[in-house]
Amino acid sequence: MALWSCGLFFLVGLLTGVWKYVQIRGSDKARAHYYVDIAHRASLMYAFACLVLERFAVLSVWPEWVNVLAVLASVLFFALAVGSYILHGALKDTRNQLQKPHAFGAGSLPAWLISGFMWVLVIAEIGGFLVLFAGFAAAP
């Protein structure tokens, strides 16, 4: 699963790179929208992060289902983050999705939703990796 995720994030990184280039070509300032650029970079970064997760999962002593859940926790929130960047890049609605009011198209999202999502993301991504790292550290 981590390798599939790696491949998919890498592909999204390449495709958002094309989107970024098209926007740069069409811009007077030779710039893409802020979140198009972030989506491109984050997708490439998360592709390689998935390789790290895969390696630690392989070396972990925990049962396979534990490692799968740990990888899933991180990968799911990597994907949700990139998805939000792509959405904001397509909508061109903000340059900072964490700035209040939290822009979403023509409207806005409640602060508690953004804050809650960010804390769950932190717990899932760090927690998922800590499970894998502990499984690696526990190996003989």
Side-chain angles (χ1 to χ4, degrees):
M1 175 184 18
L3 289 177
W4 273 99
S5 298
C6 170
L8 291 172
F9 280 116
F10 196 74
L11 180 59
V12 169
L14 295 173
L15 293 173
T16 54
V18 173
W19 185 20
K20 178 179 170 179
Y21 173 70
V22 168
Q23 284 195 352
I24 289 169
R25 291 276 316 237
S27 166
D28 293 338
K29 295 182 179 179
R31 291 186 183 152
H33 186 272
Y34 186 73
Y35 273 103
V36 172
D37 185 42
I38 289 175
H40 169 64
R41 293 177 192 204
S43 296
L44 295 174
M45 178 185 67
Y46 286 144
F48 289 96
C50 287
L51 291 177
V52 172
L53 294 175
E54 187 272 342
R55 190 66 189 147
F56 277 95
V58 166
L59 298 173
S60 172
V61 298
W62 308 139
E64 185 176 351
W65 69 270
V66 171
N67 294 327
V68 167
L69 288 177
V71 169
L72 262 177
S74 293
V75 168
L76 172 65
F77 281 92
F78 292 170
L80 290 171
V82 170
S84 74
Y85 306 151
I86 289 171
L87 188 59
H88 287 300
L91 295 173
K92 297 180 181 178
D93 59 356
T94 186
R95 285 182 45 91
N96 184 344
Q97 67 182 354
L98 299 178
Q99 183 178 15
K100 295 177 185 175
H102 302 290
F104 185 71
S108 63
L109 298 171
W112 65 265
L113 182 66
I114 300 302
S115 180
F117 174 80
M118 291 304 297
W119 283 112
V120 173
L121 176 145
V122 166
I123 292 164
E125 288 184 1
I126 295 172
F129 178 70
L130 282 175
V131 167
L132 299 173
F133 190 58
F136 161 77

